[in-house]
Amino acid sequence: MSNRQLLEQQLLNWRHELHRHPELSGQEFQTTDKLKQWLSEYGIETATWGLKTGLIADIGTGYPIVAIRADIDALPIHEEIEQDFRSTQDGVMHACGHDLHSSTILGAAILLKAQASELKGTVRVIFQPAEETYSGAYEVLKSGALEDVSAIFGFHNVPELALGTFATRSGAFYANVDRFKIVIKGKGGHAGRPHETKDPIVVAAQLISAVQTIASRSINNLDTCVVSITQVHAGTSWNVLPEEAHLEGTVRTHSPEVRLAVEEKLKQIAQGIALAHSVDIAVDWDNGPAALINTATWAELSQTVARAQGYEVQEAPLYLIGEDFGAYLEHIPGAFVSIGSASSFGLHHPQYQPNESLIYPAAQYFAALATQALESIHKNAEV
């Protein structure tokens, strides 16, 4: 077997091992140990930077530093696929492809190590924990591991894209993902004597209707804005009006300005309806991951390198799902890209089964991207 074939098979074996033994967010202890061991076999030293799980490796020396990132956590999903490397952890599955991502970036690290003396700086390789809980990127930022990084790159496999297909875009890509909880406190009583109560269910109905006007009447129609109430809970009996009603939902936007405007409008509507019905309404707003906004220069370079590597390059659509890589791009220029994994079932599905043939070409891609990013920064510094 050629060196390429040997490495390609090794990456597949590693992917299978990670898939057999998935670990949930913040619990990736065995995964971290395995990654450390595998990298050490190729002479790549790692450090934790104080992280509980996950690890970081530097390849090359000096400045500038560019980073490439993989996420390593799995999901609380029971796998429904019969295959040789099926998950051995009941109720836990790599249903988002982070095992593919880790194997890909392992491959990129090994390819970069082989040319470390020729790199015009350092490639910092990040194996990030807890992406699924949107906390891992913030942990890495807090560690200080990215303070000297000039650019950062990452990717996600996309089941809807064919194998060999690549997509990204400049500017906004993934969404702000925010969650809200609303508690309406009224006055309960007999359903046959509603005039003696302050019915939180009627109030909830009006609030639900009013909230739908935020996107249609308060936000510019050219801006992305989705407001969805996804849970409504109230009452315990058919003939009793309850004391409280509880609602939950999510907001998806692509700019910080719209994000803030929706939060303010939601609270304003709640306050107004509470006043009109003499009830108390509490709104708890939880900012999730920030919108992922690609730097135009680096998004364009990522496309150029993809074409050179033989990918069919497409313009990616806007996504309304979240990705905590956006936290990095709030502080560091960079780009996030999509690589086709051609699965019949989508992300987070118990029958998600990506085409793992994407791994080695994607490893080559990220090694080339990191190399060319260093060269680009080096060249611009000389001008």
Side-chain angles (χ1 to χ4, degrees):
M1 295 177 73
S2 67
N3 288 339
R4 169 179 173 150
Q5 290 172 320
L6 287 170
L7 179 55
E8 189 168 6
Q9 186 58 54
Q10 181 66 84
L11 298 180
L12 291 177
N13 292 342
W14 286 341
R15 187 255 161 160
H16 295 172
E17 178 64 15
L18 292 173
H19 194 87
R20 285 190 194 97
H21 304 286
E23 295 177 294
L24 296 174
S25 304
Q27 301 175 27
E28 311 96 332
F29 297 103
Q30 292 184 30
T31 301
T32 299
D33 289 343
K34 288 170 185 173
L35 293 169
K36 181 178 181 179
Q37 176 189 335
W38 295 336
L39 289 166
S40 70
E41 291 172 3
Y42 285 84
I44 300 173
E45 296 183 357
T46 58
T48 65
W49 285 77
L51 297 171
K52 185 177 70 170
T53 55
L55 74 167
I56 296 169
D58 281 356
I59 300 170
T61 57
Y63 295 93
I65 303 173
V66 300
I68 54 176
R69 170 269 210 174
D71 35 19
I72 66 174
D73 54 330
L75 286 158
I77 292 175
H78 181 77
E79 184 167 3
E80 295 180 0
I81 302 169
E82 294 300 328
Q83 55 190 356
D84 293 341
F85 53 94
R86 190 174 187 270
S87 172
T88 60
Q89 310 300 314
D90 189 40
V92 184
M93 176 190 176
H94 271 296
C96 204
H98 294 183
D99 51 342
L100 274 81
H101 302 169
S102 296
S103 301
T104 294
I105 299 303
L106 278 168
I110 292 164
L111 293 171
L112 287 163
K113 180 64 175 179
Q115 54 177 316
S117 62
E118 302 170 15
L119 295 174
K120 296 187 181 299
T122 301
V123 180
R124 183 155 292 166
V125 185
I126 300 167
F127 293 92
Q128 179 209 299
E131 188 279 330
E132 295 294 354
T133 57
Y134 301 134
S135 59
Y138 296 95
E139 293 171 17
V140 173
L141 285 166
K142 187 177 179 181
S143 76
L146 299 182
E147 288 182 1
D148 297 326
V149 170
S150 298
I152 186 166
F153 302 94
F155 85 108
H156 209 293
N157 78 93
V158 177
E160 296 81 18
L161 289 179
L163 195 68
T165 304
F166 172 101
T168 192
R169 61 186 293 121
S170 297
F173 191 178
Y174 286 64
N176 296 305
V177 177
D178 301 320
R179 176 183 180 183
F180 60 85
K181 297 180 181 180
I182 300 173
V183 178
I184 303 168
K185 293 185 178 181
K187 179 183 177 183
H190 198 291
R193 299 180 65 82
H195 60 287
E196 296 176 351
T197 72
K198 295 176 183 177
D199 184 358
I201 294 178
V202 169
V203 176
Q206 293 193 19
L207 182 60
I208 291 168
S209 295
V211 163
Q212 301 311 307
T213 67
I214 295 175
S216 64
R217 293 296 180 268
S218 297
I219 302 300
N220 189 324
N221 288 337
L222 299 178
D223 291 322
T224 306
C225 177
V226 173
V227 182
S228 294
I229 291 179
T230 56
Q231 294 189 56
V232 181
H233 304 281
T236 58
S237 175
W238 67 276
N239 63 347
V240 177
L241 294 176
E243 292 281 330
E244 295 184 357
H246 296 253
L247 292 75
E248 290 193 34
T250 185
V251 173
R252 307 297 168 102
T253 56
H254 279 114
S255 79
E257 295 81 13
V258 175
R259 182 188 213 180
L260 180 59
V262 174
E263 179 184 0
E264 291 177 344
K265 190 64 178 178
L266 178 61
K267 291 177 177 178
Q268 183 185 58
I269 288 171
Q271 183 180 22
I273 289 178
L275 183 63
H277 292 274
S278 300
V279 299
D280 292 323
I281 301 180
V283 178
D284 180 19
W285 181 280
D286 180 21
N287 278 340
L292 191 158
I293 301 176
N294 279 341
T295 308
T297 301
W298 293 123
E300 290 165 7
L301 178 67
S302 73
Q303 291 172 318
T304 299
V305 175
R307 290 189 185 95
Q309 292 289 312
Y311 282 102
E312 178 190 331
V313 175
Q314 300 179 1
E315 178 78 4
L318 281 170
Y319 286 160
L320 287 168
I321 58 176
E323 164 59 63
D324 75 356
F325 194 89
Y328 299 133
L329 296 180
E330 284 188 298
H331 302 279
I332 305 163
F336 194 77
V337 306
S338 300
I339 294 178
S341 57
S343 172
S344 299
F345 295 91
L347 301 176
H348 296 207
H349 192 282
Q351 295 184 54
Y352 161 77
Q353 192 171 23
N355 190 325
E356 59 186 11
S357 298
L358 72 86
I359 294 174
Y360 187 81
Q364 288 183 303
Y365 168 76
F366 274 97
L369 178 61
T371 301
Q372 292 194 36
L374 286 174
E375 292 175 354
S376 176
I377 296 169
H378 191 75
K379 187 181 297 183
N380 290 334
E382 292 178 342
V383 175

